[in-house]
Amino acid sequence: MEVRPELISELREKFFKKLNNEGPPDRKEFHPDDIARIDNNNWLKRFLEHNDNDIQESLNMLWESCTWRRKFGTNEITEENVRRDYLEDGLCFVHGKDKDGKPMFVIKCKLYTKGSKDFKELQKIVVYWFERLERYTNGNQISLFFDMADTGILNLDMEFIKYLIGLCKNYYPNFLNYIIIFEMPWILNTAFKIIKSWLPPKAIPKIKFVQNNNIQEFVESNDVLTCWGGPNDYVFTFVPEAQNSMDATMNGKLDNKKVHFAEGSPITEQSPSNIGDQENEEELLSIEQKIITFNKMGNEIVGIITIKNATSDQPLSYKIKTTSPEKFKVRPNLGVLLPQQQRIVNVVLQPEYNVRGLSDNDRFLVMCLPLKNANTPAQKLSALWKTETSVEDHRLRCCDGEAASNDIQRPYSILSSGMSENSRTIDTLFHRVTHLKESNTKLHSDITFLKYSLLFSIIVTIVMAILVVYILRIDIKNSMDQEACHIPHGIESFN
C-alpha cells in the first residue's frame, strides 16, 4: 500500500501535538532514542502501512509502542544484560532468507517446554533478537519460522506464541512477511485454530504450512538446513553482534573456510593439513597433542587436552571453546596457569552422543591471555575474556581412540578426510536410532496427554448428558403442571 508523504508528516505532527498537550503516560518520559525515531520517515511509514493509512489507528499504535518500549526497557537490552545461556541454547536464532529475501527468525520448538525457562527472561531474548533484526534490516520485514519437527503438545506454549504475535501486532509495525510453520504435528491442529484467531484478518494469509518436500517454495534453497531436508549444514552458535559484520552474522551460512566456535566469532582456519600448527616460534601456551583422542573411561567417553604455560615468568589465563557445545563438557574450560605449570583438561562426550557420530566440524580452540596478577578471581577472569582478545590460539581436532588403536585405516576416526561406506552406514543408523528414541519419548508423552484428555472429555460428556436429562425432566414436569392448572375456555363456558 502506497503511503503518501503528507500522511507521514501528519502522523508526526499529531504525535508531537499529543505529547505537548498530554505528556507521556505515568509522567515518565519516552526514551530519547524513540523520540528521535519519530523523525524517521521509514519508521512512521511502517505504522501507516500496518494500519492501512488510518491516521488515528497509526497514532494510537505509535503511542502505545513508545509507551511499551519505555516500560520494557527495550532500548537498554543488549547481549550483556540478558540470559547468555538462553542466547546460546538455539531455541531461537536468525538463519537464512525466505523466498522474498527477508531474514528468518527461527524458533526450534522441540527445545522448549512450558515452564522450562524463566518467561520474563525469554521475553527479553525475543526482544533482543527483534531489535537486532531491526538494526540489521533497517526496519525491513522478517519471517517467523516455527520449526515444529519432532514436537508434541508439551512443546507448544500458547503464551509464548501469543507473546510473539503480540509483539508483531502491537509494537513492531509491518514487521512480518511470512509465518512459516514447518512439519506441524496433526495433534496441534486445534491449537493453531486458536492461534489464528489472535491474528488480524490480513495476517492469516501470511501463514504457510510446509514440509521438507515443499519448503523451498518459501525458503531460499541454499538456506534450507539439512534437518529440514536441504543442503545447508549450518549449526547455530551464538555470535555477538558487536564483534562481527552483520551480514556474516545474519546470513546463517557456514563458510567452508570458517569454523564457528561457541561464545565467539567466526575464526578463519588454515588448511586441514596444518590445523593446530602455531606459527609463532615463541609459544606462550604449549599443547602436548594437536588431536584429542576419545576413549571410554568408566561410564564416560573422555578426551584429554594437556596444556602448559611455556613462559618462565608470565602467568597466563586459558580458555577452551568448541564448535559443538551441545556435544561436549570441558572441565575446566577456563583457568590460570602459573609459569611452567601444566594442566590436564578433560573433554567429556555427552551421553546422548556417540564418538562415531562426530564430524570433521567438531573442533576445539584453546586460547590464552597474559595476566598481570596470577590471583585474579574467577569473576574478573570471565569479565576479562569478554573485553580482551586472545593473543594465541591453538586449534585441535578429534579422534576415536578405539578406532585409532585398531590400525584398520581408522574407519571410524573423524581424522580421515573421507569415511568408509560402512562407517557412514553405522553413523546414519546411530543418528536414526537416536532420533527414534527422541520421537518415541515425545510420542509417549503425547499419548499420555491424550489419554488423560480423552478421559476428561468422557467425564465432561457424561456430566453434560446428566445435566441435559435433568433439565429436560424439570421442563417436562413444569409443562405438565402448567397444563394441569390451565382451565380450557370451552369447559368454562360449559359451566
Side-chain angles (χ1 to χ4, degrees):
M1 175 178 292
E2 183 181 355
V3 178
R4 301 191 308 276
E6 55 267 28
L7 288 178
I8 297 174
S9 299
E10 184 180 352
L11 178 58
R12 180 183 296 112
E13 182 181 339
K14 285 183 176 293
F15 177 87
F16 282 119
K17 183 178 180 180
K18 182 174 182 177
L19 185 62
N20 291 331
N21 293 340
E22 301 178 15
D26 304 329
R27 296 185 178 179
K28 292 183 179 179
E29 298 294 331
F30 288 137
H31 196 281
D33 289 351
D34 293 330
I35 295 298
R37 291 177 78 187
I38 304 298
D39 289 326
N40 185 328
N41 285 351
N42 287 334
W43 197 44
L44 297 189
K45 180 182 177 183
R46 288 170 56 189
F47 285 94
L48 290 162
E49 289 173 334
H50 189 92
N51 294 285
D52 298 325
N53 281 340
D54 187 312
I55 287 288
Q56 188 57 47
E57 289 297 322
S58 300
L59 176 62
N60 293 342
M61 185 180 184
L62 176 58
W63 190 266
E64 288 300 318
S65 180
C66 289
T67 302
W68 169 79
R69 292 177 66 85
R70 186 258 301 162
K71 288 182 177 179
F72 196 83
T74 305
N75 292 289
E76 284 79 29
I77 290 178
T78 69
E79 59 205 35
E80 300 300 327
N81 57 25
V82 298
R83 286 280 297 266
R84 187 63 177 248
D85 54 329
Y86 287 12
L87 282 178
E88 295 172 350
D89 63 10
L91 167 62
C92 49
F93 57 93
V94 177
H95 165 75
K97 305 279 181 72
D98 66 18
K99 69 169 187 177
D100 298 327
K102 313 294 187 183
M104 295 192 304
F105 182 62
V106 180
I107 300 101
K108 283 192 88 67
C109 298
K110 74 174 184 178
L111 299 181
Y112 175 67
T113 54
K114 186 172 183 177
S116 63
K117 295 184 186 301
D118 184 302
F119 192 66
K120 288 186 177 179
E121 291 295 329
L122 188 58
Q123 289 176 325
K124 289 173 66 177
I125 292 295
V126 173
V127 171
Y128 164 80
W129 279 115
F130 274 25
E131 289 296 299
R132 184 166 169 172
L133 279 162
E134 284 266 347
R135 291 187 288 272
Y136 167 60
T137 65
N138 195 26
N140 204 340
Q141 291 181 320
I142 68 165
S143 283
L144 293 182
F145 188 102
F146 289 92
D147 182 352
M148 304 197 71
D150 304 322
T151 60
I153 291 176
L154 297 178
N155 299 111
L156 185 66
D157 183 353
M158 300 290 278
E159 186 180 5
F160 179 51
I161 294 178
K162 190 173 185 178
Y163 177 72
L164 281 169
I165 291 174
L167 287 179
C168 298
K169 184 178 178 180
N170 301 316
Y171 308 127
Y172 289 87
N174 200 32
F175 200 43
L176 280 183
N177 191 41
Y178 293 117
I179 301 173
I180 303 172
I181 301 170
F182 177 72
E183 290 196 354
M184 189 187 76
W186 63 269
I187 200 171
L188 302 180
N189 284 336
T190 302
F192 263 86
K193 288 180 180 178
I194 298 173
I195 291 170
K196 280 185 178 180
S197 69
W198 297 337
L199 292 166
K202 68 177 183 179
I204 292 177
K206 295 175 181 284
I207 300 176
K208 307 297 178 183
F209 294 93
V210 300
Q211 304 288 327
N212 56 14
N213 61 349
N214 69 334
I215 189 173
Q216 294 188 12
E217 294 178 14
F218 298 100
V219 179
E220 285 290 338
S221 57
N222 292 333
D223 291 330
V224 179
L225 298 180
T226 52
C227 59
W228 303 338
N232 193 313
D233 60 356
Y234 169 76
V235 177
F236 168 75
T237 54
F238 177 71
V239 183
E241 181 180 12
Q243 298 179 13
N244 303 279
S245 66
M246 189 60 67
D247 188 56
T249 301
M250 292 297 178
N251 65 17
K253 297 176 181 178
L254 181 63
D255 189 274
N256 58 12
K257 294 183 180 180
K258 294 180 180 178
V259 172
H260 293 252
F261 289 91
E263 298 183 12
S265 56
I267 299 171
T268 304
E269 288 193 310
Q270 300 169 0
S271 64
S273 61
N274 59 5
I275 291 279
D277 292 344
Q278 191 69 36
E279 294 181 2
N280 188 355
E281 294 180 0
E282 297 180 0
E283 291 182 339
L284 299 177
L285 199 66
S286 172
I287 309 292
E288 187 172 294
Q289 69 284 343
K290 303 301 182 185
I291 297 169
I292 306 173
T293 302
F294 286 87
N295 293 286
K296 192 169 182 61
M297 294 184 183
N299 295 325
E300 295 182 324
I301 298 175
V302 182
I304 291 175
I305 304 175
T306 304
I307 57 177
K308 181 181 179 180
N309 184 344
T311 69
S312 57
D313 59 353
Q314 178 74 64
L316 299 176
S317 173
Y318 73 88
K319 185 174 184 179
I320 301 175
K321 297 194 288 189
T322 175
T323 57
S324 307
E326 75 282 359
K327 292 184 181 180
F328 304 102
K329 284 184 179 178
V330 182
R331 306 169 178 163
N333 72 323
L334 178 68
V336 175
L337 292 173
L338 299 175
Q340 296 298 308
Q341 183 181 6
Q342 180 173 290
R343 180 165 300 168
I344 293 177
V345 177
N346 289 327
V347 180
V348 182
L349 187 65
Q350 297 279 27
E352 60 267 30
Y353 292 93
N354 187 291
V355 70
R356 295 175 180 177
L358 301 180
S359 73
D360 196 49
N361 284 330
D362 294 320
R363 310 285 183 94
F364 288 82
L365 181 71
V366 184
M367 307 176 294
C368 76
L369 280 175
L371 292 177
K372 294 180 180 179
N373 182 6
N375 296 319
T376 303
Q379 188 174 2
K380 288 188 177 181
L381 206 59
S382 297
L384 182 68
W385 276 103
K386 290 180 180 179
T387 57
E388 299 293 332
T389 304
S390 170
V391 299
E392 187 175 290
D393 297 338
H394 298 260
R395 296 170 178 79
L396 311 181
R397 299 174 68 188
C398 305
C399 172
D400 177 357
E402 182 180 348
S405 63
N406 288 335
D407 196 28
I408 313 176
Q409 227 177 8
R410 295 180 177 88
Y412 304 134
S413 171
I414 61 171
L415 288 175
S416 307
S417 58
M419 299 172 70
S420 69
E421 211 48 50
N422 288 337
S423 178
R424 292 181 188 276
T425 303
I426 290 173
D427 284 345
T428 301
L429 288 173
F430 175 77
H431 284 301
R432 288 180 179 176
V433 169
T434 303
H435 177 74
L436 283 172
K437 285 181 179 179
E438 292 176 353
S439 299
N440 182 60
T441 302
K442 291 186 178 297
L443 185 60
H444 179 73
S445 300
D446 291 343
I447 290 173
T448 303
F449 181 85
L450 279 174
K451 202 160 42 174
Y452 285 113
S453 298
L454 183 61
L455 180 62
F456 178 76
S457 300
I458 292 172
I459 293 172
V460 170
T461 303
I462 292 172
V463 171
M464 292 297 294
I466 293 172
L467 286 172
V468 169
V469 171
Y470 178 74
I471 292 169
L472 286 174
R473 288 185 64 182
I474 291 175
D475 286 345
I476 292 171
K477 184 179 178 181
N478 290 338
S479 298
M480 292 178 65
D481 289 345
Q482 288 177 3
E483 288 178 4
C485 294
H486 179 69
I487 300 175
H489 180 71
I491 294 175
E492 183 180 348
S493 300
F494 181 80
N495 290 334

